[in-house]
Structure formats: C-alpha cells, structure tokens
Amino acid sequence: MYLIPRNVGGRFEFFEGFGIKELIFCALGALIGLGLTFLLDLFSVSRFVKILPVPGITAVVFFIVKVDPRLGTSMISSFINQKKFISKPRRYFYIFGEGRKQR
C-alpha cells in the first residue's frame, strides 16, 4: 500500500492551474492578436490600437482556459458541461399548482 500526497499532480504545471495545454492556447491567442495587428496595420490606425490586440486576446484566452484549483475545471469546460446539460432531455414527475391530481 502506497500513500500518495494530495498535492502531487499528474501533469507539469508552470504555476497552479496553468500547464502546457494552457500555454499552447495562449500562444494561439497571441498569434490571433498578431494577425489582427497586421490587419489593423492595413488601415493605418494609431500605434496604440495596433498593439492592443496581442495582449488583449492573450489575456482573454488565459482566463478562459486557466483551471480553477478549487473546482478543477476551466471556464471553457464549464461552458461545455453547461451545453451538455441543457441538451439533455428532462423529466418532470411532479405537477405543481392548480390541476394537480390527488393520488
């Protein structure tokens, strides 16, 4: 019988809740922001507006994919679970209010 401490994780994390997978998603967000920067460069807007998409989109992606250590889920997995729950059929065995039958 082996005793494994609770704080031992099965994956590498740079800091709590942020590992390789989250880093890849943030890098993809930064690339999307960089693409928007080049797209804005075509319209010759101000320099501040040109550099804003890179850190902005990266930060949004970071908060979407970062795992909450208390729950063990990220915001995107919460949205996916919510969509699965909403798509399931529901059964209501009780009728409340007027018209309820007495058994």
Side-chain angles (χ1 to χ4, degrees), residues 38-84:
F38 288 130
L39 187 66
L40 289 173
D41 194 32
L42 295 174
F43 299 111
S44 66
V45 293
S46 71
R47 185 174 296 184
F48 176 73
V49 174
K50 287 181 192 175
I51 62 170
L52 190 62
V54 176
I57 292 178
T58 306
V60 168
V61 170
F62 170 76
F63 287 113
I64 288 175
V65 299
K66 185 176 181 308
V67 176
D68 184 10
R70 294 173 294 156
L71 302 174
T73 60
S74 63
M75 188 185 300
I76 192 80
S77 64
S78 296
F79 288 143
I80 291 170
N81 291 338
Q82 181 183 12
K83 185 179 177 194
K84 286 180 184 178

mmCIF file of all heavy atoms in Angstrom, residues 38-84:
data_model
loop_
_atom_site.group_PDB
_atom_site.id
_atom_site.type_symbol
_atom_site.label_atom_id
_atom_site.label_comp_id
_atom_site.label_asym_id
_atom_site.label_seq_id
_atom_site.Cartn_x
_atom_site.Cartn_y
_atom_site.Cartn_z
ATOM 1 N N PHE A 38 -1.641 42.962 -37.699
ATOM 2 C CA PHE A 38 -1.258 43.157 -39.099
ATOM 3 C C PHE A 38 -2.447 43.609 -39.935
ATOM 4 O O PHE A 38 -2.301 44.404 -40.865
ATOM 5 C CB PHE A 38 -0.641 41.884 -39.681
ATOM 6 C CG PHE A 38 0.727 41.598 -39.149
ATOM 7 C CD1 PHE A 38 1.043 40.360 -38.649
ATOM 8 C CD2 PHE A 38 1.707 42.579 -39.139
ATOM 9 C CE1 PHE A 38 2.308 40.085 -38.150
ATOM 10 C CE2 PHE A 38 2.979 42.329 -38.653
ATOM 11 C CZ PHE A 38 3.284 41.080 -38.152
ATOM 12 N N LEU A 39 -3.635 43.119 -39.605
ATOM 13 C CA LEU A 39 -4.835 43.547 -40.321
ATOM 14 C C LEU A 39 -5.124 45.024 -40.038
ATOM 15 O O LEU A 39 -5.481 45.773 -40.953
ATOM 16 C CB LEU A 39 -6.020 42.679 -39.905
ATOM 17 C CG LEU A 39 -7.316 42.883 -40.668
ATOM 18 C CD1 LEU A 39 -7.138 42.462 -42.113
ATOM 19 C CD2 LEU A 39 -8.423 42.086 -40.019
ATOM 20 N N LEU A 40 -4.957 45.458 -38.808
ATOM 21 C CA LEU A 40 -5.152 46.867 -38.472
ATOM 22 C C LEU A 40 -4.072 47.745 -39.093
ATOM 23 O O LEU A 40 -4.297 48.935 -39.336
ATOM 24 C CB LEU A 40 -5.172 47.059 -36.957
ATOM 25 C CG LEU A 40 -6.395 46.521 -36.231
ATOM 26 C CD1 LEU A 40 -6.204 46.638 -34.725
ATOM 27 C CD2 LEU A 40 -7.641 47.267 -36.669
ATOM 28 N N ASP A 41 -2.906 47.168 -39.341
ATOM 29 C CA ASP A 41 -1.831 47.917 -39.973
ATOM 30 C C ASP A 41 -2.209 48.322 -41.400
ATOM 31 O O ASP A 41 -1.747 49.346 -41.905
ATOM 32 C CB ASP A 41 -0.560 47.077 -39.971
ATOM 33 C CG ASP A 41 0.668 47.896 -40.289
ATOM 34 O OD1 ASP A 41 0.683 49.086 -39.930
ATOM 35 O OD2 ASP A 41 1.609 47.340 -40.889
ATOM 36 N N LEU A 42 -3.055 47.545 -42.030
ATOM 37 C CA LEU A 42 -3.505 47.889 -43.384
ATOM 38 C C LEU A 42 -4.358 49.145 -43.388
ATOM 39 O O LEU A 42 -4.390 49.874 -44.379
ATOM 40 C CB LEU A 42 -4.295 46.726 -43.983
ATOM 41 C CG LEU A 42 -3.524 45.427 -44.225
ATOM 42 C CD1 LEU A 42 -4.479 44.341 -44.690
ATOM 43 C CD2 LEU A 42 -2.429 45.649 -45.243
ATOM 44 N N PHE A 43 -5.056 49.402 -42.291
ATOM 45 C CA PHE A 43 -5.943 50.564 -42.216
ATOM 46 C C PHE A 43 -5.264 51.768 -41.588
ATOM 47 O O PHE A 43 -5.899 52.797 -41.402
ATOM 48 C CB PHE A 43 -7.211 50.217 -41.422
ATOM 49 C CG PHE A 43 -8.009 49.122 -42.055
ATOM 50 C CD1 PHE A 43 -8.098 47.886 -41.447
ATOM 51 C CD2 PHE A 43 -8.642 49.319 -43.269
ATOM 52 C CE1 PHE A 43 -8.830 46.869 -42.027
ATOM 53 C CE2 PHE A 43 -9.369 48.309 -43.855
ATOM 54 C CZ PHE A 43 -9.466 47.078 -43.231
ATOM 55 N N SER A 44 -3.993 51.659 -41.261
ATOM 56 C CA SER A 44 -3.153 52.717 -40.695
ATOM 57 C C SER A 44 -3.835 53.463 -39.551
ATOM 58 O O SER A 44 -4.051 54.657 -39.621
ATOM 59 C CB SER A 44 -2.692 53.699 -41.792
ATOM 60 O OG SER A 44 -3.792 54.402 -42.322
ATOM 61 N N VAL A 45 -4.187 52.715 -38.517
ATOM 62 C CA VAL A 45 -4.728 53.313 -37.301
ATOM 63 C C VAL A 45 -3.571 53.639 -36.363
ATOM 64 O O VAL A 45 -2.416 53.369 -36.674
ATOM 65 C CB VAL A 45 -5.753 52.381 -36.616
ATOM 66 C CG1 VAL A 45 -6.976 52.229 -37.472
ATOM 67 C CG2 VAL A 45 -5.145 51.053 -36.301
ATOM 68 N N SER A 46 -3.852 54.190 -35.194
ATOM 69 C CA SER A 46 -2.786 54.618 -34.293
ATOM 70 C C SER A 46 -1.970 53.420 -33.787
ATOM 71 O O SER A 46 -2.429 52.286 -33.796
ATOM 72 C CB SER A 46 -3.370 55.383 -33.112
ATOM 73 O OG SER A 46 -4.056 54.495 -32.261
ATOM 74 N N ARG A 47 -0.763 53.712 -33.323
ATOM 75 C CA ARG A 47 0.152 52.665 -32.893
ATOM 76 C C ARG A 47 -0.384 51.922 -31.662
ATOM 77 O O ARG A 47 -0.224 50.716 -31.531
ATOM 78 C CB ARG A 47 1.510 53.265 -32.579
ATOM 79 C CG ARG A 47 2.545 52.233 -32.237
ATOM 80 C CD ARG A 47 3.886 52.823 -32.075
ATOM 81 N NE ARG A 47 4.285 53.369 -33.370
ATOM 82 C CZ ARG A 47 5.450 53.910 -33.621
ATOM 83 N NH1 ARG A 47 6.328 54.008 -32.664
ATOM 84 N NH2 ARG A 47 5.742 54.374 -34.809
ATOM 85 N N PHE A 48 -1.028 52.644 -30.732
ATOM 86 C CA PHE A 48 -1.578 52.007 -29.532
ATOM 87 C C PHE A 48 -2.659 50.999 -29.895
ATOM 88 O O PHE A 48 -2.701 49.906 -29.335
ATOM 89 C CB PHE A 48 -2.155 53.069 -28.593
ATOM 90 C CG PHE A 48 -2.810 52.493 -27.383
ATOM 91 C CD1 PHE A 48 -2.051 51.943 -26.371
ATOM 92 C CD2 PHE A 48 -4.187 52.476 -27.268
ATOM 93 C CE1 PHE A 48 -2.645 51.398 -25.255
ATOM 94 C CE2 PHE A 48 -4.798 51.934 -26.160
ATOM 95 C CZ PHE A 48 -4.020 51.398 -25.147
ATOM 96 N N VAL A 49 -3.518 51.331 -30.832
ATOM 97 C CA VAL A 49 -4.592 50.423 -31.253
ATOM 98 C C VAL A 49 -4.008 49.223 -31.978
ATOM 99 O O VAL A 49 -4.551 48.122 -31.908
ATOM 100 C CB VAL A 49 -5.622 51.174 -32.131
ATOM 101 C CG1 VAL A 49 -6.664 50.236 -32.694
ATOM 102 C CG2 VAL A 49 -6.272 52.286 -31.339
ATOM 103 N N LYS A 50 -2.864 49.392 -32.627
ATOM 104 C CA LYS A 50 -2.245 48.276 -33.341
ATOM 105 C C LYS A 50 -1.706 47.213 -32.384
ATOM 106 O O LYS A 50 -1.790 46.029 -32.665
ATOM 107 C CB LYS A 50 -1.103 48.767 -34.223
ATOM 108 C CG LYS A 50 -1.538 49.504 -35.446
ATOM 109 C CD LYS A 50 -0.329 49.926 -36.242
ATOM 110 C CE LYS A 50 -0.708 50.905 -37.321
ATOM 111 N NZ LYS A 50 0.471 51.405 -38.018
ATOM 112 N N ILE A 51 -1.129 47.630 -31.248
ATOM 113 C CA ILE A 51 -0.523 46.649 -30.350
ATOM 114 C C ILE A 51 -1.504 46.122 -29.311
ATOM 115 O O ILE A 51 -1.208 45.167 -28.618
ATOM 116 C CB ILE A 51 0.715 47.228 -29.642
ATOM 117 C CG1 ILE A 51 0.345 48.419 -28.776
ATOM 118 C CG2 ILE A 51 1.786 47.568 -30.640
ATOM 119 C CD1 ILE A 51 1.459 48.887 -27.878
ATOM 120 N N LEU A 52 -2.674 46.701 -29.197
ATOM 121 C CA LEU A 52 -3.649 46.296 -28.192
ATOM 122 C C LEU A 52 -4.185 44.875 -28.376
ATOM 123 O O LEU A 52 -4.369 44.171 -27.383
ATOM 124 C CB LEU A 52 -4.802 47.299 -28.162
ATOM 125 C CG LEU A 52 -5.791 47.179 -27.028
ATOM 126 C CD1 LEU A 52 -5.069 47.392 -25.707
ATOM 127 C CD2 LEU A 52 -6.901 48.186 -27.185
ATOM 128 N N PRO A 53 -4.433 44.369 -29.594
ATOM 129 C CA PRO A 53 -5.000 43.016 -29.722
ATOM 130 C C PRO A 53 -4.115 41.889 -29.193
ATOM 131 O O PRO A 53 -4.627 40.898 -28.689
ATOM 132 C CB PRO A 53 -5.217 42.850 -31.228
ATOM 133 C CG PRO A 53 -5.320 44.215 -31.757
ATOM 134 C CD PRO A 53 -4.444 45.052 -30.886
ATOM 135 N N VAL A 54 -2.811 42.019 -29.273
ATOM 136 C CA VAL A 54 -1.944 40.913 -28.859
ATOM 137 C C VAL A 54 -2.080 40.615 -27.365
ATOM 138 O O VAL A 54 -2.432 39.493 -26.988
ATOM 139 C CB VAL A 54 -0.467 41.183 -29.254
ATOM 140 C CG1 VAL A 54 0.424 40.078 -28.735
ATOM 141 C CG2 VAL A 54 -0.338 41.315 -30.754
ATOM 142 N N PRO A 55 -1.856 41.581 -26.468
ATOM 143 C CA PRO A 55 -2.028 41.232 -25.054
ATOM 144 C C PRO A 55 -3.492 41.059 -24.661
ATOM 145 O O PRO A 55 -3.809 40.275 -23.761
ATOM 146 C CB PRO A 55 -1.397 42.410 -24.304
ATOM 147 C CG PRO A 55 -1.393 43.520 -25.253
ATOM 148 C CD PRO A 55 -1.315 42.918 -26.625
ATOM 149 N N GLY A 56 -4.386 41.753 -25.351
ATOM 150 C CA GLY A 56 -5.806 41.647 -25.017
ATOM 151 C C GLY A 56 -6.368 40.264 -25.282
ATOM 152 O O GLY A 56 -6.996 39.657 -24.402
ATOM 153 N N ILE A 57 -6.154 39.745 -26.464
ATOM 154 C CA ILE A 57 -6.677 38.423 -26.810
ATOM 155 C C ILE A 57 -5.957 37.346 -26.017
ATOM 156 O O ILE A 57 -6.565 36.368 -25.573
ATOM 157 C CB ILE A 57 -6.578 38.187 -28.328
ATOM 158 C CG1 ILE A 57 -7.551 39.124 -29.040
ATOM 159 C CG2 ILE A 57 -6.884 36.742 -28.683
ATOM 160 C CD1 ILE A 57 -7.522 39.045 -30.527
ATOM 161 N N THR A 58 -4.649 37.521 -25.777
ATOM 162 C CA THR A 58 -3.911 36.553 -24.970
ATOM 163 C C THR A 58 -4.467 36.495 -23.551
ATOM 164 O O THR A 58 -4.625 35.405 -22.984
ATOM 165 C CB THR A 58 -2.417 36.913 -24.945
ATOM 166 O OG1 THR A 58 -1.948 37.028 -26.290
ATOM 167 C CG2 THR A 58 -1.613 35.868 -24.211
ATOM 168 N N ALA A 59 -4.789 37.637 -22.967
ATOM 169 C CA ALA A 59 -5.346 37.673 -21.617
ATOM 170 C C ALA A 59 -6.721 37.021 -21.564
ATOM 171 O O ALA A 59 -7.036 36.275 -20.629
ATOM 172 C CB ALA A 59 -5.430 39.105 -21.115
ATOM 173 N N VAL A 60 -7.548 37.271 -22.566
ATOM 174 C CA VAL A 60 -8.884 36.660 -22.616
ATOM 175 C C VAL A 60 -8.758 35.141 -22.705
ATOM 176 O O VAL A 60 -9.438 34.406 -21.978
ATOM 177 C CB VAL A 60 -9.701 37.227 -23.797
ATOM 178 C CG1 VAL A 60 -10.942 36.415 -24.044
ATOM 179 C CG2 VAL A 60 -10.062 38.680 -23.536
ATOM 180 N N VAL A 61 -7.891 34.653 -23.568
ATOM 181 C CA VAL A 61 -7.696 33.212 -23.711
ATOM 182 C C VAL A 61 -7.141 32.627 -22.419
ATOM 183 O O VAL A 61 -7.542 31.538 -21.997
ATOM 184 C CB VAL A 61 -6.772 32.901 -24.912
ATOM 185 C CG1 VAL A 61 -6.369 31.445 -24.931
ATOM 186 C CG2 VAL A 61 -7.467 33.264 -26.211
ATOM 187 N N PHE A 62 -6.243 33.347 -21.752
ATOM 188 C CA PHE A 62 -5.686 32.875 -20.482
ATOM 189 C C PHE A 62 -6.794 32.648 -19.464
ATOM 190 O O PHE A 62 -6.844 31.610 -18.804
ATOM 191 C CB PHE A 62 -4.673 33.885 -19.950
ATOM 192 C CG PHE A 62 -4.225 33.613 -18.545
ATOM 193 C CD1 PHE A 62 -3.319 32.599 -18.285
ATOM 194 C CD2 PHE A 62 -4.712 34.350 -17.490
ATOM 195 C CE1 PHE A 62 -2.903 32.340 -16.989
ATOM 196 C CE2 PHE A 62 -4.305 34.104 -16.192
ATOM 197 C CZ PHE A 62 -3.400 33.099 -15.945
ATOM 198 N N PHE A 63 -7.697 33.602 -19.316
ATOM 199 C CA PHE A 63 -8.753 33.456 -18.319
ATOM 200 C C PHE A 63 -9.802 32.421 -18.723
ATOM 201 O O PHE A 63 -10.478 31.862 -17.868
ATOM 202 C CB PHE A 63 -9.412 34.805 -18.023
ATOM 203 C CG PHE A 63 -8.535 35.704 -17.207
ATOM 204 C CD1 PHE A 63 -8.021 36.861 -17.745
ATOM 205 C CD2 PHE A 63 -8.204 35.360 -15.907
ATOM 206 C CE1 PHE A 63 -7.207 37.684 -16.998
ATOM 207 C CE2 PHE A 63 -7.386 36.170 -15.150
ATOM 208 C CZ PHE A 63 -6.883 37.347 -15.696
ATOM 209 N N ILE A 64 -9.928 32.147 -20.003
ATOM 210 C CA ILE A 64 -10.879 31.127 -20.450
ATOM 211 C C ILE A 64 -10.338 29.719 -20.187
ATOM 212 O O ILE A 64 -11.083 28.832 -19.774
ATOM 213 C CB ILE A 64 -11.222 31.323 -21.943
ATOM 214 C CG1 ILE A 64 -12.103 32.556 -22.102
ATOM 215 C CG2 ILE A 64 -11.921 30.102 -22.514
ATOM 216 C CD1 ILE A 64 -12.401 32.908 -23.535
ATOM 217 N N VAL A 65 -9.036 29.495 -20.393
ATOM 218 C CA VAL A 65 -8.502 28.134 -20.299
ATOM 219 C C VAL A 65 -7.840 27.826 -18.965
ATOM 220 O O VAL A 65 -7.537 26.665 -18.688
ATOM 221 C CB VAL A 65 -7.502 27.829 -21.441
ATOM 222 C CG1 VAL A 65 -8.156 27.944 -22.779
ATOM 223 C CG2 VAL A 65 -6.267 28.688 -21.351
ATOM 224 N N LYS A 66 -7.610 28.825 -18.091
ATOM 225 C CA LYS A 66 -6.948 28.556 -16.810
ATOM 226 C C LYS A 66 -7.870 27.737 -15.917
ATOM 227 O O LYS A 66 -9.033 28.041 -15.748
ATOM 228 C CB LYS A 66 -6.584 29.858 -16.106
ATOM 229 C CG LYS A 66 -5.800 29.612 -14.832
ATOM 230 C CD LYS A 66 -5.382 30.901 -14.205
ATOM 231 C CE LYS A 66 -4.572 30.685 -12.956
ATOM 232 N NZ LYS A 66 -5.175 29.820 -11.984
ATOM 233 N N VAL A 67 -7.329 26.669 -15.343
ATOM 234 C CA VAL A 67 -8.094 25.758 -14.495
ATOM 235 C C VAL A 67 -8.197 26.350 -13.090
ATOM 236 O O VAL A 67 -7.192 26.768 -12.507
ATOM 237 C CB VAL A 67 -7.417 24.368 -14.449
ATOM 238 C CG1 VAL A 67 -8.138 23.454 -13.493
ATOM 239 C CG2 VAL A 67 -7.376 23.763 -15.834
ATOM 240 N N ASP A 68 -9.410 26.383 -12.565
ATOM 241 C CA ASP A 68 -9.631 26.844 -11.201
ATOM 242 C C ASP A 68 -9.187 25.742 -10.252
ATOM 243 O O ASP A 68 -9.711 24.629 -10.306
ATOM 244 C CB ASP A 68 -11.113 27.160 -10.997
ATOM 245 C CG ASP A 68 -11.416 27.735 -9.635
ATOM 246 O OD1 ASP A 68 -10.459 28.069 -8.912
ATOM 247 O OD2 ASP A 68 -12.603 27.862 -9.291
ATOM 248 N N PRO A 69 -8.224 25.995 -9.354
ATOM 249 C CA PRO A 69 -7.721 24.916 -8.499
ATOM 250 C C PRO A 69 -8.758 24.386 -7.510
ATOM 251 O O PRO A 69 -8.683 23.244 -7.088
ATOM 252 C CB PRO A 69 -6.533 25.550 -7.769
ATOM 253 C CG PRO A 69 -6.694 27.007 -7.925
ATOM 254 C CD PRO A 69 -7.510 27.241 -9.150
ATOM 255 N N ARG A 70 -9.739 25.199 -7.143
ATOM 256 C CA ARG A 70 -10.751 24.736 -6.197
ATOM 257 C C ARG A 70 -11.690 23.726 -6.833
ATOM 258 O O ARG A 70 -12.102 22.759 -6.208
ATOM 259 C CB ARG A 70 -11.566 25.913 -5.670
ATOM 260 C CG ARG A 70 -10.746 26.868 -4.827
ATOM 261 C CD ARG A 70 -11.551 28.070 -4.478
ATOM 262 N NE ARG A 70 -11.809 28.799 -5.731
ATOM 263 C CZ ARG A 70 -12.825 29.618 -5.910
ATOM 264 N NH1 ARG A 70 -13.678 29.829 -4.962
ATOM 265 N NH2 ARG A 70 -12.976 30.248 -7.061
ATOM 266 N N LEU A 71 -12.053 23.962 -8.111
ATOM 267 C CA LEU A 71 -13.021 23.098 -8.790
ATOM 268 C C LEU A 71 -12.369 22.097 -9.736
ATOM 269 O O LEU A 71 -12.947 21.068 -10.053
ATOM 270 C CB LEU A 71 -14.016 23.954 -9.582
ATOM 271 C CG LEU A 71 -14.802 24.985 -8.770
ATOM 272 C CD1 LEU A 71 -15.622 25.845 -9.689
ATOM 273 C CD2 LEU A 71 -15.679 24.285 -7.770
ATOM 274 N N GLY A 72 -11.198 22.425 -10.236
ATOM 275 C CA GLY A 72 -10.527 21.547 -11.179
ATOM 276 C C GLY A 72 -11.059 21.667 -12.595
ATOM 277 O O GLY A 72 -10.829 20.795 -13.418
ATOM 278 N N THR A 73 -11.792 22.748 -12.884
ATOM 279 C CA THR A 73 -12.332 22.960 -14.226
ATOM 280 C C THR A 73 -11.982 24.363 -14.697
ATOM 281 O O THR A 73 -11.735 25.265 -13.906
ATOM 282 C CB THR A 73 -13.866 22.810 -14.240
ATOM 283 O OG1 THR A 73 -14.438 23.776 -13.364
ATOM 284 C CG2 THR A 73 -14.297 21.427 -13.834
ATOM 285 N N SER A 74 -11.976 24.536 -16.007
ATOM 286 C CA SER A 74 -11.745 25.856 -16.582
ATOM 287 C C SER A 74 -13.075 26.434 -17.032
ATOM 288 O O SER A 74 -14.113 25.760 -17.014
ATOM 289 C CB SER A 74 -10.790 25.746 -17.771
ATOM 290 O OG SER A 74 -11.368 24.956 -18.781
ATOM 291 N N MET A 75 -13.049 27.694 -17.461
ATOM 292 C CA MET A 75 -14.274 28.345 -17.905
ATOM 293 C C MET A 75 -14.818 27.665 -19.164
ATOM 294 O O MET A 75 -16.023 27.464 -19.295
ATOM 295 C CB MET A 75 -14.018 29.826 -18.182
ATOM 296 C CG MET A 75 -15.259 30.630 -18.454
ATOM 297 S SD MET A 75 -14.952 32.338 -18.904
ATOM 298 C CE MET A 75 -14.112 32.949 -17.491
ATOM 299 N N ILE A 76 -13.938 27.272 -20.068
ATOM 300 C CA ILE A 76 -14.386 26.636 -21.310
ATOM 301 C C ILE A 76 -15.007 25.271 -21.024
ATOM 302 O O ILE A 76 -16.010 24.905 -21.629
ATOM 303 C CB ILE A 76 -13.239 26.548 -22.340
ATOM 304 C CG1 ILE A 76 -13.754 26.153 -23.731
ATOM 305 C CG2 ILE A 76 -12.184 25.584 -21.926
ATOM 306 C CD1 ILE A 76 -14.338 27.280 -24.480
ATOM 307 N N SER A 77 -14.440 24.518 -20.060
ATOM 308 C CA SER A 77 -15.041 23.222 -19.738
ATOM 309 C C SER A 77 -16.379 23.413 -19.025
ATOM 310 O O SER A 77 -17.283 22.587 -19.178
ATOM 311 C CB SER A 77 -14.095 22.374 -18.897
ATOM 312 O OG SER A 77 -13.861 22.975 -17.649
ATOM 313 N N SER A 78 -16.524 24.506 -18.261
ATOM 314 C CA SER A 78 -17.821 24.800 -17.639
ATOM 315 C C SER A 78 -18.877 25.092 -18.697
ATOM 316 O O SER A 78 -20.024 24.649 -18.591
ATOM 317 C CB SER A 78 -17.703 25.983 -16.689
ATOM 318 O OG SER A 78 -16.861 25.678 -15.630
ATOM 319 N N PHE A 79 -18.492 25.852 -19.743
ATOM 320 C CA PHE A 79 -19.435 26.131 -20.833
ATOM 321 C C PHE A 79 -19.823 24.857 -21.576
ATOM 322 O O PHE A 79 -20.973 24.667 -21.945
ATOM 323 C CB PHE A 79 -18.856 27.142 -21.812
ATOM 324 C CG PHE A 79 -18.777 28.538 -21.278
ATOM 325 C CD1 PHE A 79 -17.723 29.353 -21.603
ATOM 326 C CD2 PHE A 79 -19.759 29.038 -20.436
ATOM 327 C CE1 PHE A 79 -17.646 30.644 -21.116
ATOM 328 C CE2 PHE A 79 -19.686 30.322 -19.936
ATOM 329 C CZ PHE A 79 -18.628 31.129 -20.274
ATOM 330 N N ILE A 80 -18.847 23.972 -21.798
ATOM 331 C CA ILE A 80 -19.132 22.712 -22.491
ATOM 332 C C ILE A 80 -20.058 21.841 -21.648
ATOM 333 O O ILE A 80 -21.020 21.255 -22.170
ATOM 334 C CB ILE A 80 -17.812 21.981 -22.817
ATOM 335 C CG1 ILE A 80 -17.036 22.750 -23.882
ATOM 336 C CG2 ILE A 80 -18.070 20.549 -23.266
ATOM 337 C CD1 ILE A 80 -15.628 22.268 -24.104
ATOM 338 N N ASN A 81 -19.797 21.767 -20.337
ATOM 339 C CA ASN A 81 -20.677 20.988 -19.452
ATOM 340 C C ASN A 81 -22.076 21.576 -19.396
ATOM 341 O O ASN A 81 -23.062 20.839 -19.340
ATOM 342 C CB ASN A 81 -20.082 20.910 -18.049
ATOM 343 C CG ASN A 81 -18.837 20.062 -18.007
ATOM 344 O OD1 ASN A 81 -18.613 19.221 -18.872
ATOM 345 N ND2 ASN A 81 -18.008 20.300 -17.012
ATOM 346 N N GLN A 82 -22.186 22.911 -19.402
ATOM 347 C CA GLN A 82 -23.496 23.555 -19.396
ATOM 348 C C GLN A 82 -24.267 23.235 -20.671
ATOM 349 O O GLN A 82 -25.457 22.957 -20.631
ATOM 350 C CB GLN A 82 -23.338 25.058 -19.239
ATOM 351 C CG GLN A 82 -24.650 25.804 -19.206
ATOM 352 C CD GLN A 82 -24.445 27.304 -19.128
ATOM 353 O OE1 GLN A 82 -23.347 27.806 -19.312
ATOM 354 N NE2 GLN A 82 -25.521 28.015 -18.869
ATOM 355 N N LYS A 83 -23.579 23.247 -21.812
ATOM 356 C CA LYS A 83 -24.236 22.932 -23.081
ATOM 357 C C LYS A 83 -24.718 21.484 -23.092
ATOM 358 O O LYS A 83 -25.824 21.183 -23.552
ATOM 359 C CB LYS A 83 -23.277 23.175 -24.240
ATOM 360 C CG LYS A 83 -23.917 22.976 -25.578
ATOM 361 C CD LYS A 83 -22.959 23.235 -26.701
ATOM 362 C CE LYS A 83 -23.657 22.943 -28.004
ATOM 363 N NZ LYS A 83 -22.755 22.857 -29.118
ATOM 364 N N LYS A 84 -23.903 20.562 -22.556
ATOM 365 C CA LYS A 84 -24.320 19.162 -22.473
ATOM 366 C C LYS A 84 -25.537 19.007 -21.574
ATOM 367 O O LYS A 84 -26.457 18.243 -21.877
ATOM 368 C CB LYS A 84 -23.178 18.297 -21.935
ATOM 369 C CG LYS A 84 -22.075 18.041 -22.919
ATOM 370 C CD LYS A 84 -21.002 17.183 -22.272
ATOM 371 C CE LYS A 84 -19.832 16.978 -23.196
ATOM 372 N NZ LYS A 84 -18.763 16.190 -22.553
#
